[in-house]
Amino acid sequence: MMSLLTKIPFGLQLESNELVDVDDVDKGRKCGCICPSCKSALIARQGDVNIHHFSHVKSDVVKECEYNLLFSSRMMYLKLLSNLTSLSFITPSLSIKLDGYTQSQRPLYQQNDVTYSQEIELQNIRTECEVNGRIFDCVAEVKSTSIAIQFSYKERPEIIVDENDGIAVINIDLTPIGSLIWSKEPDEKYSDILMRYFVGEDADKKWLYHPRSIKVKQQTEVELRKRIVEANQRERKTEQVYTGTYCANTFQVMPKKTAVGDYYCKQCHTRWARVGGYICPKCHSPCRE
């Protein structure tokens, strides 16, 4: 996988000053492309054996370049999205799950949904957009609210977002693109694979923040506490039952017999040893049980 990640499908074309697909340029150094990161010249390798990709011209590389498949994919996403005004997009689902324990350390959990996966329409799409002092990869309008989309991979980890940012945020992990982009069909464009991954339900998407998550978390905490209280009450009743003998006639929980052969008085609930005779020592009632 690491060798595949070093093969890059997009380069910066000097003539147009835009990122281009390796299949949209001339072969070899005639491609007229450079690396967007280190500005070294690129070669478009379009042979019949290996997958088509750009590689650096070694003589032009001054230092090791960080420009790789995922880095270039994010840059291409910014270009593709900046050319769109609207786009259908499938959101991930989100639920809040909280764990707890009863007094006997039995685990319990409560889970509530914040939102379901659904298809939405992104409108007024902007890339590298600032919201409340933070720059997001993509910001779009969805009906009467805004949503931000952020790209991540190993060298670019997820950001931490909360209610102070004032916007819902979805993260898309670009790592799975490696296996998708290098198994493409000959007539497919790399950019088409990127967009199919972006809008689809198979992408590694997750909510970093959803406005309803705080309210749902509070509701989940209340419901979990209620379940724990109820479970504790049941456990205490169970303990009482198992530390006594159940009397079907009076529906009472009575102490266990201390020894085999004891007598028990149903009138005053006194228990005594057989050696004392079958007359209750307290109420003097006869008892042979």
Side-chain angles (χ1 to χ4, degrees):
M1 175 61 75
M2 185 56 63
S3 62
L4 292 180
L5 292 179
T6 60
K7 293 175 169 46
I8 51 180
F10 310 111
L12 181 64
Q13 192 174 51
L14 289 173
E15 184 178 350
S16 64
N17 197 35
E18 289 189 352
L19 280 179
V20 292
D21 191 305
V22 68
D23 288 325
D24 292 336
V25 296
D26 292 333
K27 184 177 181 179
R29 297 195 65 165
K30 293 181 180 180
C31 64
C33 295
I34 62 172
C35 170
S37 178
C38 67
K39 310 304 180 184
S40 301
L42 295 177
I43 298 175
R45 301 194 180 277
Q46 302 169 347
D48 297 328
V49 178
N50 296 320
I51 52 179
H52 292 184
H53 64 280
F54 286 109
S55 63
H56 289 79
V57 176
K58 293 183 179 180
S59 59
D60 284 4
V61 177
V62 178
K63 61 179 181 179
E64 186 176 353
C65 180
E66 65 177 3
Y67 190 68
N68 58 22
L69 168 62
L70 304 183
F71 187 103
S72 65
S73 295
R74 174 181 171 269
M75 294 189 67
M76 179 55 84
Y77 268 128
L78 298 180
K79 174 197 171 183
L80 295 172
L81 293 171
S82 66
N83 294 330
L84 299 173
T85 55
S86 64
L87 180 68
S88 293
F89 180 82
I90 297 179
T91 64
S93 60
L94 176 64
S95 62
I96 301 292
K97 180 181 178 182
L98 298 177
D99 299 301
Y101 294 89
T102 67
Q103 61 187 6
S104 65
Q105 297 303 303
R106 181 167 65 89
L108 287 177
Y109 76 89
Q110 181 66 33
Q111 181 170 326
N112 290 323
D113 293 319
V114 177
T115 183
Y116 300 102
S117 176
Q118 58 184 313
E119 184 174 342
I120 62 175
E121 190 73 15
L122 302 178
Q123 301 282 349
N124 189 23
I125 300 172
R126 292 100 66 201
T127 56
E128 296 185 294
C129 182
E130 181 179 344
V131 178
N132 296 332
R134 187 196 289 266
I135 297 178
F136 294 98
D137 288 334
C138 173
V139 174
E141 308 300 323
V142 180
K143 296 182 179 179
S144 59
T145 188
S146 297
I147 186 172
I149 299 172
Q150 195 75 1
F151 300 111
S152 71
Y153 45 90
K154 182 179 179 181
E155 294 79 15
R156 192 174 192 264
E158 298 174 3
I159 61 175
I160 299 175
V161 189
D162 57 31
E163 66 272 17
N164 296 322
D165 291 287
I167 189 170
V169 184
I170 292 176
N171 184 81
I172 302 180
D173 188 349
L174 300 185
T175 305
I177 285 180
S179 59
L180 295 175
I181 211 163
W182 299 129
S183 59
K184 77 177 188 71
E185 297 297 327
D187 57 343
E188 279 187 302
K189 285 186 173 294
Y190 289 119
S191 55
D192 292 339
I193 296 175
L194 289 187
M195 291 309 298
R196 188 162 62 245
Y197 180 78
F198 178 83
V199 302
E201 60 184 355
D202 294 330
D204 191 352
K205 304 174 184 177
K206 79 173 188 178
W207 290 95
L208 297 182
Y209 174 71
H210 192 288
R212 288 199 298 273
S213 59
I214 295 178
K215 182 177 180 180
V216 173
K217 183 179 180 181
Q218 293 172 343
Q219 174 190 346
T220 307
E221 288 174 344
V222 171
E223 293 177 359
L224 178 59
R225 282 197 296 268
K226 181 180 178 182
R227 289 190 62 194
I228 291 175
V229 169
E230 292 173 347
N232 286 340
Q233 291 174 345
R234 288 193 298 270
E235 287 181 355
R236 283 193 290 269
K237 290 180 179 178
T238 301
E239 285 178 0
Q240 291 176 342
V241 170
Y242 282 107
T243 56
T245 303
Y246 185 71
C247 178
N249 295 327
T250 59
F251 296 96
Q252 294 178 344
V253 175
M254 300 176 299
K256 270 188 176 181
K257 292 182 178 182
T258 57
V260 177
D262 285 359
Y263 282 118
Y264 174 73
C265 179
K266 293 183 178 180
Q267 301 299 322
C268 65
H269 307 302
T270 301
R271 194 178 295 279
W272 69 97
R274 285 182 177 270
V275 294
Y278 63 87
I279 302 298
C280 176
K282 184 176 181 180
C283 68
H284 307 293
S285 299
C287 179
R288 296 185 182 275
E289 292 187 6

